[in-house]
Amino acid sequence: MLLLILGLGLTVRGLFIFLSDHRLASDELEYHSLAASLVEDGVYAIDGKPTAYRPVGYPLFVASVYAFVGSSPLAVRFIQALLDVMIGLVLFRLASRYSKRSGFVAAGIWMIYVPAVLYANRLLSETFFTFLLILVALVATTGKPRGLTSWLLVGPLFALLTLIKPWMILFVAFWYAHSVRLNTPPKTIVLSALLFFSLIAPWIVRNAIQFGVPTLSLNSGINLYIGNNPRSTGAYKGVFPHELLRHSHDEVALDRNARSMAFAYLLEHPEKFVTNGLKKIGHLFASEGELLVFTFSKNDFSQPRRYAKEYTDLPISLIAMANIPYVLILLTGMIGFVVSQKDPLWSFTAGIVLITVVVSVVFFGGSRFHFPFMPFLTIFASSFLTKVISIRKEITRSQRVVIVILSIAFGSIWLYEIVFLASV
């Protein structure tokens, strides 16, 4: 049964990639260029110029594929399709802890989850990052989570995740601190942490030598400015003032100056941090419009109104296929999470969702950022759906209040988005 489910998922992804005419755009072009530079020239550079703007993790993964098959984005997409199917397998293992039926439901949902199919076809980090994240959850929360063998795997996996998205270092700190509370032997945590730091150290040292800054990336200041400036909308908007670009002669200066301007704006307008923070959360939990437009539109949509027009011009059937499953998984997963027992998987999920929200509030929000925690919500959704009758009788009053508040919050985000799209 499981093999049939996974086979269906692989077939769907393979056919979509094979039939798709998607061309590289935006971030994909940079990832491709960085990976090709690693393979062909042995340096991490754009147009021959060393860079640390983007962290090395995902380009290194793409380069590892290019090293065997040549500079073929298509090959990367097929491998990502396979990794996405492996996510389904891991979901089966994790959800089966609640019941065997939950395992099959979780794997089945993911195999036909349209956003997962679409992301596998993009030269973006989402599929690879999500696979590593769900894999480390499997290692860290099942079997003997306090055993040395598990923790020796956790360290390298955390390192890879951090080299893809540097903000993951916050989650690493959270998980290690949480494990101390669970009485995990200090020696075990220390050994895992040493492995973690030993694997990210070469990249940090390289940046210290090349740029004079021991950092994981040189885009934190830029990203902070994007989300905190007079024209910020809560979402990504890569428009920078002339004074920033004029006084920034390299990546280090650009990042430093952008950070200074963002902090200056926040000090002068602290109230904007609150209002923009709510907008950023809205963008984080928004519909899958961004993914759909980037995948299927052939036109420019850099402006909000233009994006909205491109979104509403898509077939309503396509919009429904992507968004109805997302909404259902988010709502049922949220209910299942609220009523679930607070085991290690619950804590892992709570940590990754909370830190994603915090990072989005500080920087900027985007619907692609909710994709990595959707597999975890799929687990709790499957658990809820397979025993909805018994759970309904066990929900406490406080849990009902939390469910209602979160449902209203999500509903408000989607209603606002619908009204905005309808006004275009």
Side-chain angles (χ1 to χ4, degrees), residues 9 16 30 34 44 50 61 65 70 78 99 115 129 143-144 169 204 227 261 325 332 344 364-365 378:
F16 180 75
E30 284 200 29
L34 288 167
Y44 193 72
F61 161 71
V65 178
F78 277 114
S99 73
F129 178 84
K144 297 180 178 179
I169 200 167
I204 295 175
M261 292 178 68
T332 56
F364 58 87
T378 300

Side-chain angles (χ1 to χ4, degrees), residues 28 58 93 199 203 221 226 289 293 310 335 344 360 385 402 407 411:
E28 294 176 295
Y58 183 65
R93 290 284 305 277
L199 289 176
W203 173 245
I226 290 172
V293 171
E310 295 293 336
I335 297 173
S360 296
L385 292 172
V402 172
S407 297

Side-chain angles (χ1 to χ4, degrees), residues 354-399:
L354 178 61
I355 289 174
T356 302
V357 171
V358 169
V359 170
S360 296
V361 168
V362 172
F363 295 95
F364 58 87
S367 58
R368 66 186 278 191
F369 301 145
H370 67 233
F371 181 74
F373 58 70
M374 292 306 293
F376 297 92
L377 293 182
T378 300
I379 294 171
F380 291 102
S382 65
S383 175
F384 170 73
L385 292 172
T386 53
K387 49 183 180 180
V388 60
I389 297 177
S390 60
I391 287 180
R392 187 176 60 182
K393 298 176 181 178
E394 299 170 358
I395 298 178
T396 65
R397 179 175 297 181
S398 60
Q399 289 174 336

